[in-house]
Amino acid sequence: MCGIAGFCDYHDTLMEEAPLWGALAKRMGNRLRHRGPDDAGVHVSSHAAFAHARLAVVDIEGGKQPMTRVQDGYRYTITYNGELYNTEELRQELRLLGCQFQSHSDTEVLLYCYIHFGPFCAEKLNGIYAFAIDDERRNCTFLCRDRFGVKPLFYTTVNDRLVFGSEIKTLFEYPGINPILDKTSLCELFGLGPARTAGCGVFQGIRELKPGYSAVFNREGLRAYPYFELESYEHPDSYEDTVVRVRELLSDTVSRQLVSDVPLCTFLSGGLDSSIITALAAVQYKKEGRLLDTYSFDYKNNEKYFKPSAFQPDEDRPWVDRMVEEFGTQHHFLVCDTETLADRLYDAVIAKDLPGMADVDSSLLHFCSQVKTGHVVALSGECSDEIFGGYPWFHKKEAFEGKTFPWSPDLSIRKALIKPEILNELGLDEYVDRRYIESVEATPCLAGESAEERRRREISYLNIHWFMSTLLDRKDRCSMASGLEVRVPYADHRLVQYVFNTPWEYKTHGGVSKGLLRDAAKDWLPEDILMRRKSPYPKTHNPSYEALVRHRLTRIIEDPVEPIHQLINESAARELLAEKSDYGKPWFGQLMAGPQLMAYLLQINFWLKRYDISIQL
């Protein structure tokens, strides 16, 4: 994995002042060195300046970037962040077309894929990626992002120039791009956050190339278009055949994602999703005479304070022990203490350039920094619940009949925290409703489908395009802050597209949540692990964390100089501080309850101050 940045101008030449523009590109790239600590490079041509920060994973010596190749007298240069999982198939196809490769890297394969197939190359890719190509033949820059947005790509325009990068912070290195919030920004922050509308960078003028989109930038400007969209079709297979197909796809995608020239591990919670990935990886490693490393995460003294809930029925540790015993992995138990968890709330904001999922982010960021001391690549179980219907809101009557995002059905607590005069300006309810309706209307229909099955499809579509994107965004930034590459096998587009069209009765076969996935994994896991009830990413139940967050927020509320006073209703904030938190009533997802709302406000205040943000309503 890597960091990419750059800018393009097709109304002027950059070569007359190439050293100046190269130095600017280098500064942009330097802001991303956490994503790519192994190497760095800069490219300047007549119309494009690219920077690259490299995390070397495959072909350590031959994959340096930006990479340039010449075909028929024209130069093509790529800056690329990601991994291709069908590299060898593409390499063989391109060799038949006459390509002669100088390296073993997927970067060169991707570049030649574009040289030979042009913008249509995107449809051939299986992987996680965001890249830009300086195409001197077509006199344009081509940009592309993977189908579900595992890898980020932000951009904006300044005086006919396109400026882009893996993270928002690199855009702020470009002169004239400043951190400004407007009405849309605040609607995103308080109405949808920590989720984001696809394509929205929250800051005024900052956009993100949508998942599954390509774009061409030339003299006419920027044209972005989808190369991949989920499709609805009649599912052709019997249940038995569907189980076999899911099993084949899972086995294939995990096998592809185990390819690495650097140390690789898996995240293991003892839940169904991570256990499937770990089981497949451990068996393959054993066949190769290797031992798989696994990691689990928890909090200091959590066993003392943990209380089961509908969202979190049990602790992970006994299930992790069971998996380690069954598959003989080299396991590492990582523990985070209260003060670290609270302190790293601020590091998480810097990693994401935005407030996020509070301690759900800060803990992951901390754990990933520890994993990086021994490994460079990890496989994780994200995306399974969105695809196979594992979240509670897939099953609840209120979510099925609701007319808003099921993971955030009540805006009242959010609205109460905003200054009344600002709230009246925002139209928060209308903004959220509009985003929800747009998403529902974008759901691909299937003629003849029952109203119930159509609603199931809408909820699935919402989860894939909203909740899954939020978790993937979190995973990328929190892991890449330490230069750790995390791969997500369940986000393989072949698997997502296939399962999206399986009937709900298949997904819940036998009346069991994720019954289809459990049946597909029957021969891979012990029965008790196979049937374990869903338990999400762990969070701390230690009251000392809530007390610390409450204390820090109290100090901010009592200090009128703190920037958050521009936005929040102080009396509502004081009421929040006086409440006894109910961990069983989250305001976002399954994990974000009272302590996380206080931490979210801490993050917003730090963000406003750290980024010197101005507010223009």
Side-chain angles (χ1 to χ4, degrees), residues 149-190:
V150 179
K151 294 289 108 183
L153 185 53
F154 294 92
Y155 69 89
T156 190
T157 53
V158 180
N159 299 325
D160 294 325
R161 284 191 177 179
L162 177 74
V163 185
F164 67 89
S166 295
E167 296 179 9
I168 295 171
K169 60 176 62 67
T170 193
L171 303 186
F172 291 145
E173 282 297 309
Y174 193 94
I177 301 176
N178 300 306
I180 299 170
L181 302 185
D182 55 20
K183 289 182 182 179
T184 296
S185 307
L186 296 184
C187 284
E188 290 282 327
L189 186 67
F190 287 103

Side-chain angles (χ1 to χ4, degrees), residues 209-473:
L209 192 63
K210 291 181 181 180
Y213 268 62
S214 296
V216 174
F217 183 72
N218 54 25
R219 283 186 61 84
E220 283 70 52
L222 182 73
R223 182 176 70 89
Y225 56 90
Y227 68 87
F228 172 82
E229 294 178 288
L230 281 175
E231 298 177 357
S232 288
Y233 52 76
E234 197 72 44
H235 186 67
D237 299 336
S238 67
Y239 182 72
E240 292 73 20
D241 289 342
T242 300
V243 169
V244 171
R245 181 58 179 154
V246 168
R247 184 181 176 85
E248 291 172 346
L249 286 169
L250 277 171
S251 181
D252 180 69
T253 190
V254 171
S255 178
R256 288 175 182 271
Q257 296 189 29
L258 289 175
V259 175
S260 174
D261 291 342
V262 293
L264 179 148
C265 63
T266 69
F267 292 170
L268 175 63
S269 69
L272 176 66
D273 308 328
S274 65
S275 294
I276 288 174
I277 292 171
T278 295
L280 291 170
V283 169
Q284 182 165 324
Y285 264 44
K286 187 175 181 179
K287 289 178 180 176
E288 298 169 358
R290 295 190 288 167
L291 188 65
L292 179 70
D293 283 84
T294 51
Y295 288 85
S296 63
F297 312 140
D298 209 343
Y299 304 90
K300 188 176 180 179
N301 296 326
N302 219 31
E303 73 285 350
K304 179 179 177 182
Y305 299 105
F306 176 82
K307 292 180 180 179
S309 69
F311 292 106
Q312 210 150 15
D314 55 21
E315 294 184 90
D316 286 343
R317 180 62 185 261
W319 301 96
V320 171
D321 290 339
R322 177 81 172 91
M323 279 294 296
V324 171
E325 178 185 6
E326 182 74 20
F327 290 95
T329 67
Q330 179 69 42
H331 191 71
H332 311 265
F333 291 99
L334 303 182
V335 178
C336 183
D337 63 75
T338 294
E339 191 145 352
T340 298
L341 186 63
D343 288 346
R344 304 215 74 173
L345 287 168
Y346 313 116
D347 295 331
V349 172
I350 296 170
K352 298 180 75 171
D353 299 314
L354 297 166
M357 296 183 74
D359 49 89
V360 183
D361 283 353
S362 65
S363 59
L364 181 63
L365 183 138
H366 174 66
F367 290 135
C368 285
S369 69
Q370 293 182 291
V371 173
K372 180 59 193 285
T373 62
H375 291 82
V376 180
V377 178
L379 270 62
S380 181
E382 262 82 7
C383 308
S384 172
D385 286 313
E386 291 86 349
I387 298 161
F388 289 96
Y391 290 123
W393 48 79
F394 276 98
H395 308 272
K396 286 188 173 181
K397 183 174 182 289
E398 311 90 86
F400 191 84
E401 296 177 352
K403 300 299 180 184
T404 191
F405 298 106
W407 49 84
S408 186
D410 184 5
L411 295 181
S412 59
I413 190 171
R414 298 163 176 261
K415 291 162 60 178
L417 287 166
I418 307 171
K419 281 184 178 293
E421 59 270 29
I422 294 178
L423 183 62
N424 291 336
E425 287 286 316
L426 295 184
L428 199 66
D429 289 292
E430 293 79 7
Y431 185 87
V432 174
D433 288 346
R434 185 163 66 252
R435 293 294 178 239
Y436 171 77
I437 291 169
E438 287 171 355
S439 298
V440 168
E441 290 180 346
T443 305
C445 302
L446 183 62
E449 196 167 42
S450 70
E452 180 177 346
E453 197 67 22
R454 176 186 171 85
R455 181 56 179 161
R456 298 286 187 198
R457 192 181 294 275
E458 289 173 354
I459 293 175
S460 178
Y461 189 85
L462 286 169
N463 273 271
I464 291 170
H465 283 273
W466 282 88
F467 204 77
M468 188 167 101
S469 291
T470 302
L471 296 187
L472 290 174
D473 179 80

